[in-house]
Amino acid sequence: MDIRSSRRGFIRTAGLVTGLAAASPRHVLSLAQAESTADYTLRIQASAIEIAPKRIVSAVTYNGQFPGPLLRFKEGQPVTVDVFNDTDTPEQLHWHGQFLPVDIDGAAEEGTPYVPAHGMRRLNFTPGPSGFRFYHTHNRAGANLSAGQYSGQVGPVYIEPQSSPGNYDREIFLTLKEFEPGFSRGGDMDMNFLSPAARDKSLESAGEAAMKASLAQGLPHGFEVGYNAFTINGLMLGHGDPIRVKSGERVLFHILNGSATEIRSLALPGHAFEVVALDGNPVPTRVKVPVLWLGTAERISALVTMNHPGVWILGDLADDDRHHGMGIVVEYANQKSRAVWTPPPPFKWNYTRFGATSTAPPSPDETIDMLFAKQNAAHEGFNLWTINGSAFPMSASSVPATFHLNKGRRYRIRLRNQSDDIHPVHLHRHTFELTKIAGIPTAGVRKDVVMLGGYQEAEIDFVADNPGLTLFHCHQQLHMDFGFMALFDYT
Ligand SMILES: [Cu+2]
């Protein structure tokens, strides 16, 4: 998927395609400009994607492929990206994990202009910070399971640092993503993988009481989303080429959870992942782990030394999801057996392992409290989500900011989860530092998404250094679309 080597060829090809599509003079003008200087061209279009032989799904994609093309930028070097929208729906393209101005960032709530239906936007910006980022649609989907991130609008970004990122033989990008979504009334999946596991008793009793009261009124459980097809780089396990490796090779995997709603895990039998970066940011302590866990929109960069020859399944721990496609074969040279899966040893995912061992974070100038709560099935059968008692309005009109920042100050957000769901919460246009996870202090792990466990607390710190409206939300599409969002502004 690395298109850097053929970038000129790629742009020429895109030019040919746009030439064919240019039906009106308005398009011809903008397309002529586009061909002259854009570094990359992305076309949002409805496409058929073959995720396994004769298993073809319809999805809105970037450039007709899933995932979208890998975009390689250089930190601090300005780029031009042309985004064409061939669909009937105005679109938002969000540059997840970058420090960009609001007119580029890609969120209507912040005021980014839409890429108009059958129109285009030319984006000029300076990429950063370096590391593994991604781009995806920021449209609301609501009850429409072909919209928003349920579609195929996800692609990786790698921003090369000004200094060398380290020693490995090659890089492989993997995007994890489900297709064929459907609604269910199922209860929540038991995901007991986070450590520390300590639950806050007051959050738990309040959340349980609210759920009991709702069920006592005769309401069913709110809708959840499930999937029939699971893919890595758009292919179900067993289809497409395996990852071919040689004994002794050091492979740097850049793994993106591109799911709209799901938390994913990965293991490679007989191998360890040395985690070098979380959400694209180098970790203070590199740790070897047998399993990776990624909430929606999280990224992990991990080195694997290929020292266990055979043919293996790099796959999700959930048997059902793996059997429905969530995996990819890793094949050593001169090995031709059937791909083998063996479950990894019991393991809990703990962000604080990757933290700094001897330093403490600076004290914040101010602390912001956020309490997250669920109103079961309260909105046309969907769960409604509130932050400090308020659900973000679902209207298209602009909404005033709830939280106010002063430039240069360091803020701590105390996240408290009064529900039993795990929420991968995301802050736009800034990086935050994890400072406490379920009561355990930590420092030095810098991220833009963090999974907040059911009935748990966490603290994240950030410096207000990028003025403009800034969106905060749960990255689970079903949660963000039904209230779980808030805006920060700068005063
Ligand atoms: Cu959530």
Side-chain angles (χ1 to χ4, degrees), residues 422-424 474 476 479 484:
I422 296 172
H423 300 291
C474 179
Q476 218 274 25
H479 300 176
F484 204 142

Side-chain angles (χ1 to χ4, degrees), residues 74-317:
K74 284 204 167 64
E75 188 178 29
Q77 187 172 305
V79 291
T80 300
V81 180
D82 283 344
V83 184
F84 291 86
N85 180 2
D86 293 346
T87 75
D88 299 330
T89 308
E91 270 292 344
Q92 287 286 348
L93 186 150
H94 172 49
W95 299 99
H96 187 118
Q98 295 199 52
F99 302 159
L100 299 175
V102 294
D103 64 320
I104 301 291
D105 188 56
E109 296 80 2
E110 294 173 348
T112 315
Y114 279 93
V115 185
H118 303 285
M120 65 91 65
R121 278 195 81 204
R122 166 162 287 189
L123 307 178
N124 294 298
F125 62 96
T126 302
S130 64
F132 186 24
R133 315 285 163 214
F134 77 117
Y135 58 103
H136 65 83
T137 177
H138 215 284
N139 275 20
R140 181 174 184 270
N144 179 356
L145 293 184
S146 58
Q149 232 180 285
Y150 300 115
S151 77
Q153 290 180 78
V154 176
V157 169
Y158 192 77
I159 305 176
E160 290 173 42
Q162 281 157 350
S163 57
S164 160
N167 132 45
Y168 53 83
D169 296 305
R170 69 192 167 106
E171 287 174 299
I172 293 177
F173 288 81
L174 302 177
T175 300
L176 318 181
K177 179 78 166 74
E178 309 79 9
F179 290 96
E180 300 178 359
F183 287 119
S184 72
R185 292 262 190 207
D188 295 329
M189 205 189 298
D190 181 31
M191 294 258 240
N192 215 0
F193 64 90
L194 286 175
S195 171
R199 292 176 154 201
D200 181 289
K201 288 283 172 270
S202 67
L203 291 172
E204 184 164 13
S205 51
E208 298 287 314
M211 191 67 199
K212 273 206 194 92
S214 169
L215 297 176
Q217 283 174 20
L219 286 173
H221 283 267
F223 293 120
E224 301 288 342
V225 173
Y227 303 87
N228 286 325
F230 296 74
T231 71
I232 294 185
N233 288 350
L235 289 164
M236 295 174 75
L237 173 61
H239 306 294
D241 291 336
I243 297 172
R244 294 195 174 88
V245 300
K246 293 198 262 302
S247 215
E249 207 173 19
R250 278 163 65 83
V251 177
L252 178 57
F253 285 98
H254 294 294
I255 300 157
L256 159 65
N257 182 349
S259 179
T261 58
E262 300 247 302
I263 292 165
R264 301 254 62 99
S265 58
L266 271 186
L268 178 61
H271 297 76
F273 300 96
E274 182 184 348
V275 174
V276 301
L278 292 175
D279 293 351
N281 306 313
V283 292
T285 308
R286 292 181 170 199
V287 182
K288 283 189 179 160
V289 296
V291 178
L292 303 175
W293 285 93
L294 304 99
T296 308
E298 283 191 298
R299 288 91 66 211
I300 297 177
S301 300
L303 269 170
V304 177
T305 302
M306 295 296 167
N307 55 8
H308 193 54
V311 182
W312 308 106
I313 292 171
L314 169 61
D316 198 290
L317 270 59

Side-chain angles (χ1 to χ4, degrees), residues 97-99 129 133 279 281 427-433 445-448 461-463 465:
Q98 295 199 52
F99 302 159
R133 315 285 163 214
D279 293 351
N281 306 313
L427 181 66
H428 280 229
R429 306 176 63 247
H430 298 76
T431 295
F432 53 75
E433 178 180 1
V445 174
R446 291 171 304 117
K447 295 179 77 354
D448 49 60
D461 290 16
F462 70 102
V463 175
D465 55 4

Side-chain angles (χ1 to χ4, degrees), residues 400-450:
T402 310
F403 303 101
H404 311 289
L405 306 171
N406 284 291
K407 187 167 187 259
R409 282 165 77 88
R410 183 179 172 94
Y411 291 87
R412 175 162 296 167
I413 311 180
R414 194 158 71 109
L415 309 161
R416 305 181 71 230
N417 181 4
Q418 199 177 285
S419 75
D420 57 356
D421 301 62
I422 296 172
H423 300 291
V425 299
H426 172 46
L427 181 66
H428 280 229
R429 306 176 63 247
H430 298 76
T431 295
F432 53 75
E433 178 180 1
L434 306 186
T435 51
K436 199 180 267 186
I437 300 288
I440 305 299
T442 185
V445 174
R446 291 171 304 117
K447 295 179 77 354
D448 49 60
V449 179
V450 63

